[in-house]
Amino acid sequence: MSPRRNRPKGSDLSDRSVEDDRSGRYGGWQSTESWQGEEWSVRHVAGASAEGKTYRCPGCDQMIPSGVPHVVAWPEHSGVDERRHWHKACWNAKDRRTSRVQRSRNAPRF
């Protein structure tokens, strides 16, 4: 019996460009995506690189626990102050989410 494939058919990594597949100090690859009429830099962060740190996801307003792989995204024209840490699923669903996130009155703002 042959082992089970963990990737969907047709997801060949060789179709990525060298720029999209550069590994940084965070252990993930970085790419550029268009969203809301802007170009965004998107870096995939490995769980080991996020050890000891927690972040709040702007997509779902929930905490990203320490050691969980996630995505860091920021508009290309801005600096490091605009970086936001997203759950991978929240980043992928960003176009399907509503524009306003409902927060309780005492929830922290970021």
Side-chain angles (χ1 to χ4, degrees):
M1 178 186 278
S2 59
R4 188 177 119 185
R5 289 180 60 124
N6 287 331
R7 333 186 175 103
K9 290 181 182 177
S11 70
D12 187 29
L13 296 178
S14 63
D15 62 342
R16 281 192 206 155
S17 69
V18 174
E19 287 182 8
D20 288 348
D21 199 16
R22 59 182 174 251
S23 293
R25 70 178 228 207
Y26 298 107
W29 55 274
Q30 184 170 335
S31 63
T32 303
E33 295 182 22
S34 284
W35 182 47
Q36 295 181 339
E38 292 184 80
E39 293 296 314
W40 287 69
S41 294
V42 180
R43 181 178 292 151
H44 296 262
V45 178
S49 300
E51 195 67 40
K53 305 170 195 163
T54 59
Y55 304 100
R56 184 170 297 274
C57 174
C60 65
D61 201 33
Q62 300 295 315
M63 296 302 291
I64 301 173
S66 172
V68 172
H70 61 278
V71 173
V72 179
W74 66 95
E76 275 197 344
H77 69 279
S78 64
V80 292
D81 293 338
E82 297 296 317
R83 288 185 303 189
R84 295 293 175 257
H85 296 255
W86 296 68
H87 292 106
K88 287 183 180 183
C90 293
W91 177 255
N92 291 336
K94 64 191 174 295
D95 293 326
R96 296 187 302 265
R97 294 191 177 273
T98 61
S99 59
R100 293 217 22 107
V101 175
Q102 296 293 324
R103 293 185 180 87
S104 64
R105 290 182 185 202
N106 60 352
R109 297 185 85 73
F110 41 32

